[in-house]
Amino acid sequence: MTAGVLTAGLISFRRGNSQLGQILMRARVAVQGATVALMVGTAFYYGENPWKKSS
């Protein structure tokens, strides 16, 4: 999704529609933040707990 929004924003800038390009660049930041949050959440969910004592 991040790559798609980035590509659409760059195309908008290239075609001269800077207002749409700015909106898409802001959307890219939001989508990129969601991507990072999802990655961290997935790593936390599937990762090993270093504080858990193994028996």
Side-chain angles (χ1 to χ4, degrees), residues 7-19:
T7 302
L10 291 174
I11 290 170
S12 294
F13 278 126
R14 190 147 169 82
R15 291 185 178 171
N17 192 350
S18 61
Q19 186 175 8

Side-chain angles (χ1 to χ4, degrees), residues 4-41:
V5 174
L6 174 63
T7 302
L10 291 174
I11 290 170
S12 294
F13 278 126
R14 190 147 169 82
R15 291 185 178 171
N17 192 350
S18 61
Q19 186 175 8
L20 178 61
Q22 283 294 329
I23 291 170
L24 288 168
M25 288 298 122
R26 290 182 185 135
R28 178 194 55 86
V29 171
V31 173
Q32 194 170 356
T35 301
V36 171
L38 185 62
M39 289 170 57
V40 170

Side-chain angles (χ1 to χ4, degrees), residues 44-55:
F44 181 75
Y45 182 76
Y46 287 108
E48 293 183 23
N49 186 348
W51 295 278
K52 184 178 179 182
K53 294 184 180 183
S54 51
S55 349

